[in-house]
Amino acid sequence: MPTLTIDGIEVTVPDKTNLIEAAKMVGAEIPHYCYHPGLSVAGNCRMCLVEIEKAPKLAIGCFTPCQEGMVVHTSTEKVLQARKDVLEFLLINHPLDCPVCDQAGECWLQIYYMKHGQYESRMMEDKIKKHKKATAIGPTVTLDQERCILCARCVRFCDEISKTSELGIFNRGNHAELDVFPGKELNNKYSGNVVDICPVGALTDRDFRFQCRVWYLDTQDSICPGCSRGCNIQVHYNLDRPHHAEGRRVLRLKPRFNPEVNKYWICDEGRYGYKFIDDESRILMPQVMRNGGMEFVSWDEALKASAEKIKASIPEELGVLASPQLTNEELYLIRKLFVEELGATQVEFRVPPKEEGYSDDYLVKADKNPNTKGAEEIGLAVGSAEEILKAAAEKKLSALVIFVHNLVNSGLDDSLVKAALEGVETLIFIGSNFSDTSEKANVILPSATYAEKSGTFANSEGRVQRIHEAVPPLGESLPEWQILNELARALGLDWDYQGTEHIFAELAKDVPAFANLTYEILGDQGQTLGYVPPAEEEALVEHGELEAVRAT
Amino acid sequence: MSIKITTKNLNIPNYNRLSVYREHGGYEALKKALSMEPAAVTDEVKRSNLVGLGGAGFPAGVKWGFIPKDTPKAKYLVVNGDEGEPGTFKDRYLLEFAPHQLIEGMIICSYAVGIHKAYIYIRGEYIRQIKIVRRAVEEAQEAGLLGENILGSGFNLDIVVHQGAGAYICGEETGLIESLEGKKGFPRIKPPFFPAAIGLFGCPTVINNVETLSQVPHVIANGAEWFASIGTEKNGGTRVFAVSGHVRKPGICELPMGVPLRELIYEHCGGMRDDRPVKAVIPGGSSSPVLTADHLDTKMDFVGLRDAGSMGGSGAVVVMDDTTCMVDVCANIARFYAHESCGQCTPCREGTGWVSKILDRILAGNARPEDVDNAVRVAKNMMGRTICLLADGAAMPILSYLTKFRNEFDYHVEHKCCDVKGG
Ligand SMILES: Cc1cc2nc3c(=O)[nH]c(=O)nc-3n(C[C@H](O)[C@H](O)[C@H](O)COP(=O)(O)O)c2cc1C
Ligand code: SF4
Ligand code: SF4
Ligand code: SF4
């Protein structure tokens, strides 16, 4: 734990901390391009030069470990000049593409030039032409070699994180070019991350390119619903440019740092899996079967129709298929309403997938649901989907409520699903997008997607993490928790949940695994089930009981 | 004093064959070394003041001493035979005509440091030399001078000859190591990647130039005091100068460290072509700042040349008479570095290219007055800010021409032609 002085401020840092990270701790920013905390150090951009007292030359902040007694200056005349000079070098062969470059607005050449550059141009020579401009190098990424500053972050990513090594730097000197190896394309499960870490517009996302200028984007923290890893993400959206991106509001997802879950990365499946949010298949209004056809109705009518059918069923005739795509708050309300209030026994959330999902030893999990763990803890695994459907097929159910699932495209037997969906008198579907299952419903209640509501998911390791509403629910759709609240009221219960935090507080009291958790404790990085507050933990350690508590 | 050490026997027919080498006392120094304590061998080399002859002039024995004694890792010896510095062609002779002298030096070094695997990295274009060295290694193997239990001493060493992949930067020691590992020759950052600590395959590594190691058998055979007495106070022995340019007798020329430049030119290289005056001399390869006729009394060892504002470098001496255009020379050198920069570091990648373009424009009579100052500024901005020393090795000579011969650059800008060559 060396203690050193940076810009006059003394700071003690963990061993092996480099100067860039140490400077952050005292609020000083050392600009850099090639350094990325999730990758090995390359030390090539030379942007992070700082002055260390008694050292003969300026030193690079990325590769200089903090040492006891070091005195570091991050913005002396000498340092500022070196930065300016490096920026000048970086820009002499850089094309004047900003007006047509998709990176503009989030480009570190632009940002640092405004902060540290700003010089008179002295470059008279012709800029060097390179081979690939706006060239797709794989299904997800476009390369512009002239914009590349050869920081090699993307190369290191493919060597060290995706471990696929598609990228390399070819040729020498100022003819050096970033490219894919001959005969290869950049095509791996994590390829989109190279766009995030490319500090300039050399690598751009084919999916996002030219959909929206980044300064029109707003962001909201969320959790990827793509699998049970629960990678932390940011939803980038725009609400006032319906003429862009075919009217899509959510325009891209970006990874959000969480050292316990996904570090700096997300997989491509998760990154590009957001299209359903603004898709044409979204259900925009409640619908009810009347006179042999589905009709759009108001929420009041739809809820009334649903309540009547549910009331008419005795508990044994009521089937509920909840979903591990739902939040803990929603699953808790499902349990409370259907199991505790209505006494339903045919309740389940697990529906086997059609085929085993892809998984690897890094991030991606085979379970493609974000909240299986939460559903298990809340106790919704009561029967089995197959038994419920059998009961429906044998006409032993009068009403079946299905949340989100598309049974037709699942691992369940096709003929059983068909017989069940057709056999049950009342089929209430609650979900965000039309599917072969919603087709068969006689009541459809449109729900919000994860990007349109708040709540929590528990990932496969039991880490409970919050999602937040980025965009409002599309059309008349509502978050499931709100639908459940209204449905309970339509059933004559005096529910009045005002928001998900309210529900979560109740859940934390009721479900042991969630004990002690609050939204505040979850923060933006989440907290694991079985959480013990620090003060209590100390007491338990003293009595040697912590392990026992943890084990429960 | 005319004394030759490493090049003494180069004229003997078939000296590159084992039998002939042995007839002239070859591998006797090895026997002597094997009878000594390893530490005593290193100590002998330290006391001899033998310095690295690849460029930096670092004391060879001290470098060997940096290798940790009690490491669980393998240790390696790497011989730098990349010889890429413009003007340099000495290692080529030593490889072609005295490969066993190098091998003997390598075995002694390995014995002293406790190394059992050594690599010779030879410039890719030296196809003939590579063949000859390979044959010499085979001969040595067959004769029990390499492999297991060398000369019954219990000491083992294997040597691998590696053909370089063709880039100047693969002569820089860490670039060479990367290249030897099968990667692109991108130099590593020092610290922490000092070869003695983290070298080839991440293991402690001695890396020495061909000529440095070729001196070693003679140091052992004749003793440190003898060797040290030949050179200057800090630089022992001789070095092989590779002389080119406007002298009457260009070629390799082995002389004691510290020989005055004037003596080298006029006594050993036949003086100047057409008896024209010396205008400028590159004393240690293209990376060394140029000297003018005022510096003819400079002592040609690492200390003397440093004091004269230049450096000993690779021992390549390029002598230029008054018909030489310094703008042309400078632009030529700049072009070389722009071509050879590995391209990792921003200041070097962009700076070498930019300064080269400016100089080419000045040369072509297509420059503005401020271009000369801009070239100076660009060269300065590359210095001291990069991973390896190529950037400094480019900037220092370029600055030396721009400052010592400023008037020629200004003339080119103003008159759009050359005052030396006319036209
Ligand atoms: C750009 C550059 C190129 C170099 N090229 C060579 C070379 O071709 N041959 C060589 O022996 N040393 C070369 N060197 C020096 C080596 O890095 C290293 O110092 C040398 O091999 C050490 O051996 P020595 O101590 O025996 O001189 C070069 C250094 C730099 C910075
Ligand atoms: S493409 Fe981007 S990340 Fe890759 S080397 Fe170039 S600038 Fe760096
Ligand atoms: S690994 Fe899972 S949670 Fe993470 S981004 Fe991919 S799909 Fe989403
Ligand atoms: S200084 Fe030049 S040659 Fe050396 S590592 Fe940097 S870019 Fe490569």
Side-chain angles (χ1 to χ4, degrees):
Chain A
M1 297 277 286
T3 300
L4 67 165
T5 310
I6 303 176
D7 292 345
I9 304 171
E10 219 177 71
V11 60
T12 303
V13 299
D15 289 338
K16 293 191 178 152
T17 307
N18 67 40
L19 292 180
I20 292 184
E21 298 299 337
K24 280 184 201 161
M25 297 181 195
V26 304
E29 190 208 18
I30 301 178
H32 55 271
Y33 288 108
C34 66
Y35 171 70
H36 187 286
L39 303 171
S40 67
V41 174
N44 60 32
C45 76
R46 315 312 282 183
M47 190 65 187
C48 67
L49 292 168
V50 292
E51 203 169 333
I52 301 172
E53 284 184 13
K54 300 202 180 86
K57 297 198 277 188
L58 297 179
I60 45 175
C62 61
F63 218 10
T64 308
C66 292
Q67 273 163 17
E68 186 63 38
M70 229 179 206
V71 183
V72 183
H73 302 281
T74 70
S75 46
T76 58
E77 191 93 0
K78 224 165 134 186
V79 170
L80 296 180
Q81 189 60 45
R83 264 179 215 164
K84 209 168 177 170
D85 296 339
V86 169
L87 272 168
E88 181 180 34
F89 280 137
L90 281 172
L91 286 166
I92 55 171
N93 282 307
H94 198 85
L96 297 169
D97 279 357
C98 295
V100 295
C101 176
D102 213 45
Q103 187 83 2
E106 56 180 359
C107 171
W108 290 94
L109 275 177
Q110 291 184 325
I111 296 166
Y112 286 153
Y113 179 79
M114 296 312 288
K115 266 195 182 167
H116 307 288
Q118 308 234 27
Y119 49 78
E120 295 277 318
S121 172
R122 277 174 281 224
M123 174 71 178
M124 256 191 82
E125 331 302 326
D126 291 337
K127 291 188 188 256
I128 291 169
K129 293 265 179 296
K130 292 191 176 168
H131 291 98
K132 291 191 178 166
K133 210 159 170 71
T135 308
I137 52 169
T140 59
V141 177
T142 295
L143 167 65
D144 186 317
Q145 291 175 327
E146 290 177 358
R147 295 181 194 158
C148 169
I149 58 166
L150 298 160
C151 71
R153 277 184 177 185
C154 57
V155 178
R156 281 173 283 148
F157 178 86
C158 291
D159 287 347
E160 298 163 15
I161 307 295
S162 71
K163 299 198 166 67
T164 45
S165 297
E166 296 99 332
L167 298 176
I169 290 172
F170 301 83
N171 303 326
R172 284 196 307 260
N174 57 13
H175 288 275
E177 290 173 339
L178 181 279
D179 207 345
V180 281
F181 280 95
K184 276 208 174 190
E185 55 171 24
L186 178 65
N187 188 359
N188 64 60
K189 297 287 182 189
Y190 297 91
S191 66
N193 291 292
V194 300
V195 174
D196 304 336
I197 58 176
C198 179
V200 297
L203 299 176
T204 48
D205 194 321
R206 292 182 68 185
D207 182 59
F208 177 72
R209 259 167 87 78
F210 306 130
Q211 297 304 305
C212 185
R213 279 302 201 181
V214 297
W215 49 85
Y216 294 128
L217 294 175
D218 288 310
T219 73
Q220 181 60 281
D221 287 357
S222 194
I223 299 298
C224 173
C227 81
S228 60
R229 166 70 63 177
C231 291
N232 292 208
I233 56 168
Q234 267 188 345
V235 179
H236 287 192
Y237 63 95
N238 173 283
L239 291 179
D240 32 57
R241 304 193 85 72
H243 50 294
H244 281 174
E246 290 142 13
R248 276 187 288 121
R249 302 167 302 161
V250 173
L251 291 154
R252 65 179 182 184
L253 304 182
K254 288 277 185 186
R256 180 163 59 87
F257 177 66
N258 188 330
E260 303 295 331
V261 183
N262 55 307
K263 307 219 167 57
Y264 304 88
W265 326 114
I266 53 173
C267 78
D268 285 0
E269 210 176 308
R271 181 186 300 267
Y272 301 115
Y274 67 90
K275 295 276 168 62
F276 74 98
I277 298 168
D278 290 309
D279 195 72
E280 281 179 1
S281 66
R282 280 300 295 276
I283 309 172
L284 300 176
M285 277 178 74
Q287 293 169 43
V288 169
M289 174 77 82
R290 273 183 193 157
N291 313 319
M294 293 300 275
E295 276 182 21
F296 293 120
V297 296
S298 70
W299 267 107
D300 277 351
E301 285 172 278
L303 289 164
K304 206 168 132 213
S306 309
E308 269 166 23
K309 301 287 182 189
I310 291 169
K311 251 188 210 156
S313 316
I314 56 165
E316 292 74 28
E317 288 177 0
L318 181 57
V320 179
L321 274 179
S323 164
Q325 292 282 329
L326 299 181
T327 62
N328 292 310
E329 291 77 353
E330 291 159 345
L331 293 165
Y332 173 71
L333 292 191
I334 290 174
R335 186 183 96 179
K336 186 164 168 175
L337 178 62
F338 289 102
V339 181
E340 288 161 22
E341 296 285 356
L342 302 174
T345 52
Q346 308 265 40
V347 183
E348 176 53 65
F349 75 95
R350 291 167 298 192
V351 170
K354 188 160 195 155
E355 47 198 44
E356 167 95 9
Y358 170 84
S359 66
D360 60 25
D361 57 4
Y362 195 51
L363 295 181
V364 187
K365 296 280 187 186
D367 177 4
K368 297 302 168 195
N369 297 295
N371 200 28
T372 299
K373 185 83 182 163
E376 279 168 4
E377 292 294 344
I378 288 164
L380 286 171
V382 186
S384 87
E386 204 168 354
E387 275 167 32
I388 295 174
L389 293 192
K390 266 189 196 144
E394 290 162 11
K395 302 204 186 294
K396 288 182 189 156
L397 292 187
S398 63
L400 176 59
V401 185
I402 301 178
F403 288 87
V404 188
H405 291 293
N406 183 8
L407 304 178
V408 179
N409 201 20
S410 72
L412 294 165
D413 180 63
D414 281 349
S415 51
L416 173 64
V417 169
K418 192 160 181 277
L421 297 182
E422 280 164 10
V424 69
E425 199 184 301
T426 302
L427 180 64
I428 302 175
F429 178 81
I430 305 177
S432 59
N433 295 62
F434 285 113
S435 68
D436 293 338
T437 303
S438 69
E439 293 268 287
K440 307 276 188 205
N442 29 36
V443 178
I444 298 179
L445 305 180
S447 66
T449 62
Y450 79 101
E452 298 162 326
K453 65 186 179 188
S454 302
T456 57
F457 292 143
N459 77 0
S460 59
E461 277 153 22
R463 174 166 289 266
V464 184
Q465 308 186 97
R466 295 176 65 188
I467 61 169
H468 301 272
E469 176 181 323
V471 293
L474 201 61
E476 292 190 13
S477 65
L478 291 172
E480 275 88 348
W481 67 266
Q482 230 168 319
I483 298 175
L484 287 158
N485 188 53
E486 298 307 319
L487 186 59
R489 292 168 74 87
L491 283 161
L493 300 167
D494 62 344
W495 284 20
D496 188 17
Y497 290 105
Q498 293 298 330
T500 55
E501 184 157 17
H502 183 182
I503 307 169
F504 191 81
E506 196 176 308
L507 159 75
K509 275 201 202 96
D510 253 28
V511 182
F514 287 83
N516 298 322
L517 293 178
T518 63
Y519 273 13
E520 201 183 344
I521 287 170
L522 297 184
D524 54 13
Q525 305 264 287
Q527 190 48 265
T528 46
L529 293 168
Y531 168 75
V532 180
E536 267 178 54
E537 189 170 295
E538 246 166 62
L540 288 171
V541 170
E542 253 165 51
H543 297 97
E545 287 164 16
L546 186 63
E547 294 316 308
V549 172
R550 285 256 160 86
T552 58
Chain B
M1 183 168 57
S2 174
I3 175 161
K4 296 200 189 309
I5 301 174
T6 55
T7 62
K8 183 175 164 214
N9 293 333
L10 292 200
N11 287 330
I12 295 171
N14 292 326
Y15 190 68
N16 60 19
R17 303 309 300 260
L18 179 60
S19 54
V20 179
Y21 182 67
R22 283 191 127 165
E23 276 165 31
H24 292 85
Y27 290 108
E28 290 304 316
L30 174 61
K31 284 184 195 155
K32 184 172 171 192
L34 291 175
S35 72
M36 294 162 68
E37 282 299 313
V41 176
T42 302
D43 190 56
E44 196 74 19
V45 175
K46 268 188 199 161
R47 283 189 294 109
S48 76
N49 287 345
L50 170 63
V51 293
L53 300 167
F58 192 82
V62 175
K63 188 185 271 189
W64 299 3
F66 287 155
I67 303 294
K69 302 263 160 338
D70 42 3
T71 167
K73 288 186 177 171
K75 300 178 214 172
Y76 296 105
L77 169 64
V78 174
V79 181
N80 192 339
D82 196 53
E83 190 151 76
E85 182 80 3
T88 319
F89 48 85
K90 62 182 177 79
D91 294 341
R92 171 186 184 149
Y93 282 88
L94 296 174
L95 290 166
E96 183 168 344
F97 297 105
H100 283 289
Q101 177 175 261
L102 170 63
I103 294 168
E104 188 176 4
M106 290 172 70
I107 307 171
I108 295 171
C109 167
S110 301
Y111 173 73
V113 181
I115 289 166
H116 303 292
K117 183 121 191 181
Y119 293 84
I120 312 179
Y121 186 102
I122 305 179
R123 181 185 169 112
E125 292 89 339
Y126 283 1
I127 293 166
R128 178 183 170 77
Q129 289 73 18
I130 290 168
K131 263 195 199 152
I132 289 169
V133 175
R134 285 220 165 103
R135 185 181 65 190
V137 168
E138 278 163 25
E139 283 178 331
Q141 248 153 8
E142 279 161 22
L145 293 159
L146 286 174
E148 290 191 6
N149 193 16
I150 292 168
L151 297 176
S153 64
F155 176 69
N156 311 328
L157 177 68
D158 287 314
I159 292 182
V160 177
V161 180
H162 184 93
Q163 178 170 13
Y168 172 61
I169 199 58
C170 293
E172 194 282 336
E173 54 191 18
T174 58
L176 186 153
I177 287 172
E178 284 280 300
S179 172
L180 192 52
E181 288 181 3
K183 295 179 255 170
K184 187 173 177 178
F186 271 172
R188 298 172 176 175
I189 303 175
K190 296 185 271 187
F193 296 107
F194 286 112
I198 313 171
L200 184 62
F201 306 121
C203 299
T205 301
V206 173
I207 176 158
N208 271 133
N209 171 259
V210 168
E211 187 188 351
T212 315
L213 288 163
S214 298
Q215 294 273 24
V216 168
H218 307 285
V219 171
I220 298 302
N222 303 308
E225 286 66 30
W226 166 80
F227 193 83
S229 73
I230 294 168
T232 56
E233 191 195 335
K234 294 229 167 86
N235 299 168
T238 57
R239 85 175 298 183
V240 182
F241 295 98
V243 186
S244 61
H246 302 150
V247 290
R248 284 210 178 86
K249 274 170 52 191
I252 55 164
C253 182
E254 185 180 2
L255 287 166
M257 282 285 191
V259 61
L261 176 55
R262 189 185 303 278
E263 183 185 324
L264 174 67
I265 295 173
Y266 291 97
E267 282 178 36
H268 303 282
C269 295
M272 296 298 287
R273 182 186 70 173
D274 300 336
D275 288 325
R276 299 197 74 97
V278 171
K279 177 173 182 182
V281 178
I282 297 172
S286 61
S287 302
S288 59
V290 69
L291 298 179
T292 61
D294 297 343
H295 287 106
L296 285 178
D297 295 318
T298 305
K299 284 188 159 209
M300 298 287 280
D301 67 344
F302 286 93
V303 179
L305 282 163
R306 191 193 60 211
D307 291 347
S310 187
M311 57 187 226
S314 66
V317 181
V318 183
V319 186
M320 295 171 275
D321 68 18
D322 60 343
T323 63
T324 320
C325 167
M326 289 297 127
V327 179
D328 197 359
V329 175
C330 185
N332 185 310
I333 287 178
R335 240 174 275 137
F336 171 80
Y337 289 99
H339 189 252
E340 296 297 339
S341 160
C342 85
Q344 272 192 103
C345 315
T346 308
C348 174
R349 176 181 69 239
E350 302 297 340
T352 53
W354 192 6
V355 83
S356 166
K357 283 180 182 171
I358 298 171
L359 290 168
D360 276 343
R361 264 195 303 108
I362 297 174
L363 186 64
N366 186 20
R368 306 164 300 178
E370 60 267 36
D371 278 325
V372 183
D373 282 338
N374 201 32
V376 170
R377 191 183 62 91
V378 172
K380 280 189 179 154
N381 287 352
M382 288 156 50
M383 283 176 64
R385 294 176 181 175
T386 54
I387 291 176
C388 87
L389 286 172
L390 184 140
D392 293 63
M396 287 182 312
I398 289 170
L399 285 170
S400 74
Y401 295 96
L402 281 164
T403 44
K404 290 181 185 163
F405 299 97
R406 171 83 190 213
N407 57 327
E408 290 189 31
F409 291 84
D410 289 339
Y411 189 94
H412 271 261
V413 172
E414 197 183 332
H415 300 276
K416 312 214 175 298
C417 66
C418 180
D419 61 336
V420 179
K421 293 180 174 168

